[in-house]
């Protein structure tokens, strides 16, 4: 992918991945709220070969509103976790990009605890572990 066509000439440097239903929308909302992370309104870019319509120029244009105040340009696309080719494509695009992911097992444990505590206390034994993001 070519460099961004904006005045900062920066590349996406934060990639959020995760399994389905791992709170990536909440993550995008929290990151956006810091003022230091630019996350496009349509958070799921699905670039890097996932969506054929997302060419390099289309991908770069989605970050054109980022300013120099944004330390990170973030693409939060959970589907990237499902493709081994995406890892190499991200590395080729920006080898210094940081990857943030919600641990899918912790997410399932968190959902189970929620359901047991709020919906159906008869679900059985308590599970070990917790919810969280890994880097």
């Amino acid at each position: 992918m070519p460099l961004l066509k904006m005045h900062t000439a920066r590349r996406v440097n934060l990639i959020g991945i995760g399994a389905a239903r791992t709170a990536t929308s909440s993550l995008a909302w929290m990151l956006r709220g810091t003022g230091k992370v630019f996350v496009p309104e349509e958070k799921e870019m699905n670039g890097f070969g996932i969506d054929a319509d997302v060419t390099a120029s289309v991908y770069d244009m989605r970050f054109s509103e980022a300013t120099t105040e944004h330390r990170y340009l973030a693409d939060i696309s959970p589907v990237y976790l499902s493709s081994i080719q995406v890892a190499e494509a991200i590395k080729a695009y920006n080898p210094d990009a940081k990857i943030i992911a919600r641990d899918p097992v912790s997410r399932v444990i968190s959902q189970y605890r929620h359901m047991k505590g709020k919906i159906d206390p008869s679900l059985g034994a308590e599970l070990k572990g917790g919810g969280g993001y890994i880097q």
Side-chain angles (χ1 to χ4, degrees), residues 4-20:
L4 297 174
K5 307 281 193 283
M6 54 191 207
H7 66 279
T8 59
R10 296 182 297 158
R11 292 189 151 192
V12 172
N13 56 1
L14 181 63
I15 311 284
I17 63 173

Side-chain angles (χ1 to χ4, degrees), residues 3 10-16 48 71-74 87-100 135:
L3 286 174
R10 296 182 297 158
R11 292 189 151 192
V12 172
N13 56 1
L14 181 63
I15 311 284
F48 303 107
R71 181 176 178 187
Y72 294 99
L73 306 181
E88 287 300 318
I90 290 171
K91 186 176 180 182
Y93 173 77
N94 184 352
D96 296 322
K98 299 197 181 308
I99 308 289
I100 186 168
Q135 291 188 37

Side-chain angles (χ1 to χ4, degrees), residues 15 25-26 42 46 52 55 61 68 74 88 90 93 97 105 121 128:
I15 311 284
S25 293
S26 295
E42 179 188 352
N46 297 335
T55 64
M61 284 196 319
T68 55
E88 287 300 318
I90 290 171
Y93 173 77
V105 174
K128 302 284 187 210

